[in-house]
Amino acid sequence: MNIKIFGKLTDIFLNEKYQLNKKVSTVLDLKETLENYFPDLKSLNYLIIINNQNAKESDPIPEEAEIALLPPYSGG
Amino acid sequence: MNIKIFGKLTDIFLNEKYQLNKKVSTVLDLKETLENYFPDLKSLNYLIIINNQNAKESDPIPEEAEIALLPPYSGG
Amino acid sequence: MKKKYPFLEGAIPIEFISEIIQSHTHDNNIGGHSIFLGQVRADIIEEKEVEGIEFTSYQEMAIEKLIQIRKEIFTKYDLLCMHVHHSLGLVKKGGVCLFVFTSSKHRKPAILACDELVERIKKELPIWGKEIFSDSSYQWKENKQ
Amino acid sequence: MKKKYPFLEGAIPIEFISEIIQSHTHDNNIGGHSIFLGQVRADIIEEKEVEGIEFTSYQEMAIEKLIQIRKEIFTKYDLLCMHVHHSLGLVKKGGVCLFVFTSSKHRKPAILACDELVERIKKELPIWGKEIFSDSSYQWKENKQ
């Protein structure tokens, strides 16, 4: 599963994408898995986006979904 | 006494200034004199300005005051 | 009559506006600019089209009033810059007749000050517009509240 | 990555802004334009000066979101035109990184829509700024509420 990484989160993943090789079924599952691999994530605010939409923790993760992790926006 | 005339009031006075040859002591006195000479004034909203300040009817008119009649503003 | 700040003869050139914007990119404390441009509309009134608006002002009083407004706006908002320009004389349809420009460190003071300035300029500055139609007849402009 | 509307590479040129203004003076129904420009400040943070901000975005999502915002703003306000542009990549201090432009027949819809657009763009578009210091170190920009 490919995950797009943005903003200050790239300092944690040291990349703009991350390949997760574990199967996860829900957003909560994904979140816990990532925070287990990258404990620094726990102290940060970020959204998990599935197919351009903000996802709730209970949402399932569809096959071939486009997943992205977004820290608070700071454009303008 | 010279009076400056602005905006749509110039259509009544047919000029941008008006020389009043009667002595008037207060703003009310001035207003009644002008409305007597130019009855169309009565149906219009306008301010009487003395030395760049909006004048009340009871205000006296100083010697050598700069007097102006202003219809509602429509700049911008 | 000689025109003094904030008045310009005829339409405000777009080059003038862009020069003002350009000159403020050298101020590294500015984080936001808010700009309002008033433009002459070709309104159709009783089947006649407005060709332009001729602006006149009681200049001495307008200048005194604008100095007072400027002082009040700078007291109320944390502004870095403020510029106001208004046309006198004829501005043809499509021409810019009012240019308000404010700058501040963060966006909000510039936005709030610009909005308030536009309202106050329309309401408090002794300026009048005469709408000239294509057949040379005219009517005096009235501002909406 | 290829940049699509509303994104431009680097600082938004003042000539680009004045061309947009100029092109709207041909629309005789427009009575007012409201413009906001966001500019990169040379903030001093712990004795280091910001030399520029490098912007990145989740472009597909930002574009989809802006289309939705545009629709909502046109439903809410009686607008004639709306343009939004945002920089991607490095914008040096003093450079314009956000350009919002709205036009309407009477002034109020343009002013209200522009103000709301600036707030929504800052809050809802997935864009991030990285403040680059003169010694090449950086920190991630955080927007004030």
Side-chain angles (χ1 to χ4, degrees):
Chain A
M1 179 186 291
N2 274 306
I3 303 172
K4 296 187 175 196
I5 310 295
F6 290 96
K8 90 193 303 180
L9 300 180
T10 58
D11 288 353
I12 291 178
F13 287 85
L14 300 175
N15 204 331
E16 288 162 12
K17 56 195 175 202
Y18 177 70
Q19 170 87 35
L20 179 65
N21 291 323
K22 182 168 178 283
K23 194 151 170 64
V24 290
S25 56
T26 65
V27 170
L28 180 62
D29 196 2
L30 172 64
K31 192 175 155 78
E32 285 175 345
T33 303
L34 291 172
E35 291 185 358
N36 191 29
Y37 293 172
F38 300 93
D40 289 349
L41 266 185
K42 289 180 204 165
S43 61
L44 294 172
N45 276 324
Y46 63 97
L47 295 174
I48 296 178
I49 302 292
I50 299 180
N51 295 332
N52 290 356
Q53 298 296 322
N54 193 356
K56 293 190 304 293
E57 291 197 336
S58 58
D59 286 351
I61 295 181
E63 295 274 334
E64 317 239 338
E66 182 163 305
I67 297 173
L69 303 189
L70 314 187
Y73 308 154
S74 58
Chain B
M1 179 187 292
N2 274 307
I3 302 173
K4 296 186 175 196
I5 311 294
F6 290 95
K8 92 193 302 181
L9 300 180
T10 58
D11 288 353
I12 291 178
F13 287 85
L14 299 173
N15 204 329
E16 288 162 12
K17 54 195 176 202
Y18 176 71
Q19 169 86 36
L20 179 65
N21 291 322
K22 181 166 180 285
K23 194 150 171 61
V24 290
S25 56
T26 66
V27 170
L28 180 61
D29 196 3
L30 172 64
K31 191 175 156 79
E32 285 175 344
T33 304
L34 291 173
E35 291 185 358
N36 190 29
Y37 293 172
F38 300 92
D40 289 349
L41 265 185
K42 289 179 203 166
S43 61
L44 294 173
N45 276 324
Y46 63 96
L47 294 173
I48 296 178
I49 302 293
I50 300 180
N51 295 331
N52 290 357
Q53 298 297 322
N54 193 355
K56 292 189 304 295
E57 291 197 337
S58 59
D59 286 350
I61 295 182
E63 296 274 335
E64 318 239 338
E66 182 163 303
I67 297 172
L69 303 189
L70 314 187
Y73 308 154
S74 57
Chain C
M1 185 185 256
K2 214 187 137 214
K3 271 132 210 113
K4 290 189 194 163
Y5 179 86
F7 296 109
L8 291 176
E9 177 65 34
I12 301 170
I14 308 301
E15 299 74 46
F16 179 85
I17 295 165
S18 67
E19 275 164 29
I20 297 246
I21 297 173
Q22 187 79 59
S23 71
H24 287 79
T25 60
H26 302 301
D27 184 337
N28 290 322
N29 291 312
I30 292 174
H33 307 286
S34 195
I35 300 170
F36 178 81
L37 304 176
Q39 185 170 304
V40 171
R41 279 195 317 273
D43 279 350
I44 310 287
I45 301 167
E46 291 171 9
E47 296 182 3
K48 294 191 290 188
E49 195 181 71
V50 172
E51 281 294 306
I53 298 182
E54 195 178 297
F55 289 100
T56 49
S57 173
Y58 185 8
Q59 284 194 64
E60 305 91 298
M61 187 180 164
I63 290 166
E64 199 172 302
K65 189 77 201 168
L66 185 61
I67 290 169
Q68 181 199 328
I69 292 173
R70 183 185 176 83
K71 216 175 278 178
E72 288 171 17
I73 291 281
F74 265 97
T75 304
K76 189 165 173 185
Y77 299 104
D78 196 10
L79 278 195
L80 292 168
C81 288
M82 164 186 158
H83 297 276
V84 170
H85 292 280
H86 198 292
S87 298
L88 288 184
L90 183 67
V91 180
K92 289 190 188 153
K93 61 186 181 187
V96 172
C97 58
L98 171 62
F99 171 35
V100 179
F101 180 92
T102 54
S103 310
S104 55
K105 187 169 181 190
H106 299 287
R107 70 190 180 281
K108 293 232 169 117
I111 290 173
L112 294 172
C114 186
D115 294 359
E116 187 170 326
L117 272 168
V118 173
E119 296 309 309
R120 292 194 66 176
I121 287 163
K122 295 230 172 201
K123 208 172 141 199
E124 300 179 38
L125 293 195
I127 301 171
W128 299 272
K130 189 181 189 176
E131 292 167 329
I132 316 283
F133 298 107
S134 35
D135 65 357
S136 298
S137 64
Y138 67 87
Q139 76 170 20
W140 290 93
K141 179 172 179 261
E142 286 177 23
N143 278 359
K144 285 193 144 203
Q145 281 315 303
Chain D
M1 185 184 255
K2 216 186 138 213
K3 271 131 211 113
K4 291 190 192 160
Y5 180 86
F7 295 109
L8 292 175
E9 177 65 33
I12 300 170
I14 307 302
E15 300 74 45
F16 178 85
I17 294 164
S18 67
E19 275 164 29
I20 298 246
I21 297 172
Q22 187 78 60
S23 70
H24 287 78
T25 60
H26 303 301
D27 184 337
N28 290 323
N29 291 313
I30 292 175
H33 307 287
S34 195
I35 300 170
F36 179 81
L37 303 175
Q39 185 170 303
V40 171
R41 278 196 317 274
D43 279 352
I44 309 287
I45 300 167
E46 290 172 8
E47 296 182 3
K48 293 190 290 187
E49 194 182 73
V50 173
E51 281 294 307
I53 297 182
E54 195 178 297
F55 290 99
T56 49
S57 173
Y58 185 9
Q59 284 195 63
E60 305 91 299
M61 186 179 163
I63 289 166
E64 199 173 301
K65 190 76 201 168
L66 185 60
I67 290 169
Q68 182 199 327
I69 292 173
R70 184 186 175 84
K71 215 175 279 177
E72 289 172 16
I73 292 281
F74 266 98
T75 304
K76 188 165 172 186
Y77 299 105
D78 196 10
L79 277 196
L80 292 168
C81 289
M82 164 186 157
H83 297 275
V84 170
H85 292 279
H86 198 294
S87 298
L88 289 185
L90 183 67
V91 179
K92 289 192 187 150
K93 62 186 181 186
V96 172
C97 57
L98 170 62
F99 171 36
V100 179
F101 181 92
T102 54
S103 310
S104 55
K105 186 168 182 190
H106 299 287
R107 70 189 179 283
K108 293 235 168 113
I111 290 172
L112 295 172
C114 186
D115 295 358
E116 187 170 326
L117 271 168
V118 172
E119 295 310 309
R120 293 195 66 177
I121 287 162
K122 294 229 171 202
K123 209 173 140 197
E124 300 178 38
L125 293 195
I127 301 172
W128 299 272
K130 190 181 190 176
E131 293 167 327
I132 316 284
F133 298 106
S134 35
D135 64 357
S136 299
S137 63
Y138 67 87
Q139 75 170 21
W140 291 94
K141 179 172 179 260
E142 287 177 22
N143 278 359
K144 286 196 144 201
Q145 283 313 303

